[in-house]
Amino acid sequence: MSIWTELSGIDYRHAYVKTGDITTRALQAGPEDGEHVVFLHGTTGHLEAFVRNIPAHAERYRCHSIDMLGHGYTGKPDRPGEIPAYVEHLLAYLDAVGAERAHLVGESLGGWVASWAASEHPDRVASLQLLCMGGTKVNPAVMERLKKSTRSASLEDDISFTRDRLRLLWADWDEELGEELTRIRYEIYHHPDFQRNLHNLLALQETETRERNLLRPDRMARIKAPTLVVWGNKNPFGDVPEAEAIATAIPGARLEIFNECGHWPQHEKADLYNPLSLEFLAASSTT
């Protein structure tokens, strides 16, 4: 099994989309007249985080998995990556592909960005799925762990550091795709532009910057979009009570806990996540 095997049954496009002054890498699939679903990865992640989800969703929805601002092979402006900038880039992408509204699926940082967008631009967000979302706490130990592991993975030549960074995300190592994803991530992490921009991608792991970007309860209370919160009971970056607090803060949010699952529920438990997501999207769809 490989990433290309996962995608072999669908018609997809590996695209570079002009979004303002940024060129954005995207994986696009599904009917062009379908409702838009945009998948957003985590800190220093990339669009391949959703290869196990795109085929199931592309049967009905117009799917977009994108490298977020400064990430992967998307453009890298030399400024700290703060949440309003990620939201601005997301909206520019929606404009570029002609999507007035979209369902947003965000994992970790992606959920943080999606929630912020929903609180500021409710007319652009049809629904929210928050997968092990970050951004509701300042936890220095977790932030330092993320910074240290990512810097080692990017700045050391030894690929084992990249593998260890990826292993952080899963409760159990993925024997099928783990090595391929490690190689993809290694190439991204060792691109000179990525290394030059790394301090900007890790800006939210600095306390002062994180504080002014936090998703506080009053902001989450403003979210009107139907919301599904998905969490792994072995998420290394946040325990289940954090998920419960998020679901409580967002009006009407539904919470699902996956057992024996870490920080990538959409990948680790794709067999559970895909039907759950499709059921939620169907209930939230406008057509």
Side-chain angles (χ1 to χ4, degrees):
M1 182 67 72
S2 77
I3 286 173
W4 304 113
T5 306
E6 293 279 358
L7 298 173
S8 60
I10 63 170
D11 184 9
Y12 66 88
R13 179 176 178 231
H14 184 217
Y16 284 86
V17 179
K18 199 67 178 172
T19 52
D21 60 346
I22 300 294
T23 299
T24 299
R25 184 173 76 120
L27 176 64
Q28 302 171 334
E32 294 191 5
D33 61 350
E35 292 185 50
H36 297 272
V37 180
V38 180
F39 297 84
L40 304 169
H41 56 72
T43 297
T44 66
H46 36 90
L47 61 79
E48 284 84 359
F50 297 99
V51 292
R52 285 187 165 163
N53 315 112
I54 297 297
H57 289 74
E59 291 181 10
R60 174 172 175 179
Y61 299 98
R62 183 61 176 169
C63 298
H64 311 259
S65 182
I66 68 171
D67 285 348
M68 293 201 296
L69 183 67
H71 286 73
Y73 295 102
T74 284
K76 297 170 176 51
D78 186 14
R79 55 180 182 270
E82 299 198 40
I83 299 301
Y86 287 120
V87 171
E88 181 181 358
H89 173 249
L90 170 62
L91 296 181
Y93 179 83
L94 294 182
D95 291 341
V97 298
E100 293 184 8
R101 303 179 80 219
H103 302 273
L104 302 181
V105 179
E107 179 263 327
S108 195
L109 171 65
W112 190 350
V113 172
S115 295
W116 196 284
S119 70
E120 291 287 329
H121 306 279
D123 56 319
R124 306 298 302 270
V125 181
S127 73
L128 279 178
Q129 294 186 45
L130 309 176
L131 317 179
C132 295
M133 179 179 77
T136 62
K137 287 188 173 182
V138 176
N139 186 327
V142 169
M143 293 154 61
E144 187 58 33
R145 185 184 187 191
L146 191 58
K147 282 190 293 185
K148 185 177 180 180
S149 61
T150 305
R151 285 174 178 149
S152 296
S154 178
L155 302 177
E156 300 288 344
D157 290 337
D158 187 344
I159 197 171
S160 68
F161 288 101
T162 308
R163 186 179 298 108
D164 290 344
R165 173 67 176 82
L166 202 53
R167 280 179 183 269
L168 274 179
L169 305 174
W170 302 330
D172 294 306
W173 179 240
D174 183 336
E175 295 290 347
E176 282 193 316
L177 292 183
E179 289 305 318
E180 186 177 5
L181 285 168
T182 296
R183 290 194 297 275
I184 290 170
R185 183 163 289 209
Y186 183 87
E187 292 300 322
I188 290 172
Y189 277 19
H190 289 79
H191 193 286
D193 288 346
F194 185 92
Q195 293 176 328
R196 276 194 293 270
N197 190 53
L198 184 57
H199 63 291
N200 288 324
L201 297 185
L202 295 176
L204 292 170
Q205 309 312 318
E206 302 297 335
T207 298
E208 184 177 345
T209 307
R210 194 177 187 89
E211 285 277 6
R212 65 171 172 263
N213 286 273
L214 270 185
L215 275 172
R216 302 183 190 280
D218 61 333
R219 177 175 288 280
M220 289 190 280
R222 288 160 43 192
I223 294 173
K224 304 301 182 188
T227 301
L228 172 65
V229 179
V230 180
W231 209 264
N233 71 334
K234 292 186 176 180
N235 178 9
F237 301 134
D239 294 327
V240 169
E242 189 172 332
E244 294 170 339
I246 292 169
T248 299
I250 299 175
R254 172 183 173 184
L255 172 62
E256 294 286 343
I257 306 295
F258 287 180
N259 292 324
E260 302 302 316
C261 181
H263 195 64
W264 264 28
Q266 82 282 1
H267 182 92
E268 297 176 81
K269 301 292 182 182
D271 57 334
L272 296 178
Y273 169 72
N274 285 336
L276 173 67
S277 171
L278 291 168
E279 173 201 337
F280 173 77
L281 287 170
S284 306
S285 293
T286 57
T287 58

